[in-house]
Short mmCIF file of all heavy atoms in Angstrom, two decimals:
data_model
loop_
_atom_site.label_atom_id
_atom_site.label_comp_id
_atom_site.label_asym_id
_atom_site.label_seq_id
_atom_site.Cartn_x
_atom_site.Cartn_y
_atom_site.Cartn_z
N ARG X 1389 90.69 114.37 89.25
CA ARG X 1389 90.83 113.88 90.60
C ARG X 1389 89.85 112.72 90.80
O ARG X 1389 88.67 112.92 90.96
CB ARG X 1389 90.59 115.00 91.61
CG ARG X 1389 91.67 116.03 91.62
CD ARG X 1389 91.39 117.12 92.62
NE ARG X 1389 91.77 118.36 92.01
CZ ARG X 1389 91.02 119.44 91.88
NH1 ARG X 1389 89.82 119.43 92.39
NH2 ARG X 1389 91.46 120.51 91.31
N ARG X 1390 90.46 111.51 90.81
CA ARG X 1390 89.66 110.31 90.94
C ARG X 1390 90.07 109.52 92.18
O ARG X 1390 91.28 109.37 92.42
CB ARG X 1390 89.84 109.42 89.69
CG ARG X 1390 89.51 110.15 88.42
CD ARG X 1390 89.93 109.37 87.23
NE ARG X 1390 89.08 108.11 87.20
CZ ARG X 1390 88.44 107.67 86.16
NH1 ARG X 1390 88.59 108.28 85.00
NH2 ARG X 1390 87.72 106.60 86.21
N ASN X 1396 88.49 101.89 105.37
CA ASN X 1396 88.99 102.90 106.37
C ASN X 1396 88.64 104.32 105.91
O ASN X 1396 88.32 105.17 106.78
CB ASN X 1396 90.54 102.76 106.44
CG ASN X 1396 90.96 101.50 107.12
OD1 ASN X 1396 90.25 100.98 107.96
ND2 ASN X 1396 92.08 100.97 106.68
N ALA X 1397 88.67 104.60 104.65
CA ALA X 1397 88.29 105.90 104.16
C ALA X 1397 86.75 106.20 104.44
O ALA X 1397 86.40 107.28 104.80
CB ALA X 1397 88.59 106.09 102.70
N ALA X 1400 86.40 106.95 108.11
CA ALA X 1400 86.91 108.29 108.38
C ALA X 1400 85.89 109.34 107.93
O ALA X 1400 85.60 110.30 108.64
CB ALA X 1400 88.26 108.52 107.73
N HIS X 1405 85.77 113.27 109.06
CA HIS X 1405 87.14 113.75 108.74
C HIS X 1405 87.06 114.86 107.73
O HIS X 1405 86.76 114.64 106.55
CB HIS X 1405 87.92 112.55 108.19
CG HIS X 1405 89.37 112.84 108.02
ND1 HIS X 1405 89.87 113.62 107.04
CD2 HIS X 1405 90.45 112.40 108.75
CE1 HIS X 1405 91.22 113.64 107.14
NE2 HIS X 1405 91.55 112.94 108.18
N LEU X 1412 87.12 115.14 98.78
CA LEU X 1412 86.11 114.48 97.96
C LEU X 1412 85.12 115.45 97.30
O LEU X 1412 84.61 115.20 96.22
CB LEU X 1412 85.35 113.44 98.81
CG LEU X 1412 86.21 112.29 99.29
CD1 LEU X 1412 85.40 111.38 100.17
CD2 LEU X 1412 86.82 111.50 98.12
N GLU X 1413 84.86 116.60 97.98
CA GLU X 1413 83.99 117.58 97.39
C GLU X 1413 84.56 118.15 96.12
O GLU X 1413 83.87 118.61 95.20
CB GLU X 1413 83.75 118.73 98.36
CG GLU X 1413 82.79 118.35 99.52
CD GLU X 1413 82.62 119.44 100.55
OE1 GLU X 1413 83.33 120.41 100.52
OE2 GLU X 1413 81.77 119.24 101.41
N ILE X 1418 84.39 109.54 92.32
CA ILE X 1418 84.54 108.82 93.60
C ILE X 1418 83.93 107.41 93.45
O ILE X 1418 82.82 107.32 92.96
CB ILE X 1418 83.86 109.55 94.75
CG1 ILE X 1418 84.37 110.98 94.86
CG2 ILE X 1418 84.02 108.78 96.03
CD1 ILE X 1418 83.56 111.87 95.74
N ALA X 1419 84.66 106.43 93.88
CA ALA X 1419 84.14 105.04 93.81
C ALA X 1419 84.54 104.27 95.07
O ALA X 1419 85.47 104.69 95.83
CB ALA X 1419 84.67 104.34 92.57
N ILE X 1423 82.56 95.19 98.38
CA ILE X 1423 83.14 94.60 99.60
C ILE X 1423 83.27 95.67 100.68
O ILE X 1423 82.89 95.50 101.82
CB ILE X 1423 84.51 93.95 99.31
CG1 ILE X 1423 84.35 92.84 98.29
CG2 ILE X 1423 85.12 93.46 100.63
CD1 ILE X 1423 83.57 91.65 98.71
N CYS X 1424 83.82 96.84 100.30
CA CYS X 1424 83.99 97.93 101.25
C CYS X 1424 82.66 98.41 101.76
O CYS X 1424 82.51 98.69 102.97
CB CYS X 1424 84.76 99.09 100.62
SG CYS X 1424 86.44 98.74 100.29
N GLY X 1431 79.78 97.15 109.97
CA GLY X 1431 80.30 97.86 111.14
C GLY X 1431 79.31 98.80 111.74
O GLY X 1431 79.22 98.97 112.96
N PRO X 1436 81.33 98.51 116.78
CA PRO X 1436 82.71 98.09 117.00
C PRO X 1436 82.85 97.02 118.12
O PRO X 1436 83.87 96.35 118.18
CB PRO X 1436 83.40 99.41 117.46
CG PRO X 1436 82.31 100.23 117.96
CD PRO X 1436 81.03 99.82 117.20
#
Side-chain angles (χ1 to χ4, degrees):
R1389 290 182 218 126
R1390 302 172 66 133
N1396 292 329
H1405 190 286
L1412 295 177
E1413 286 175 353
I1418 303 167
I1423 301 294
C1424 291

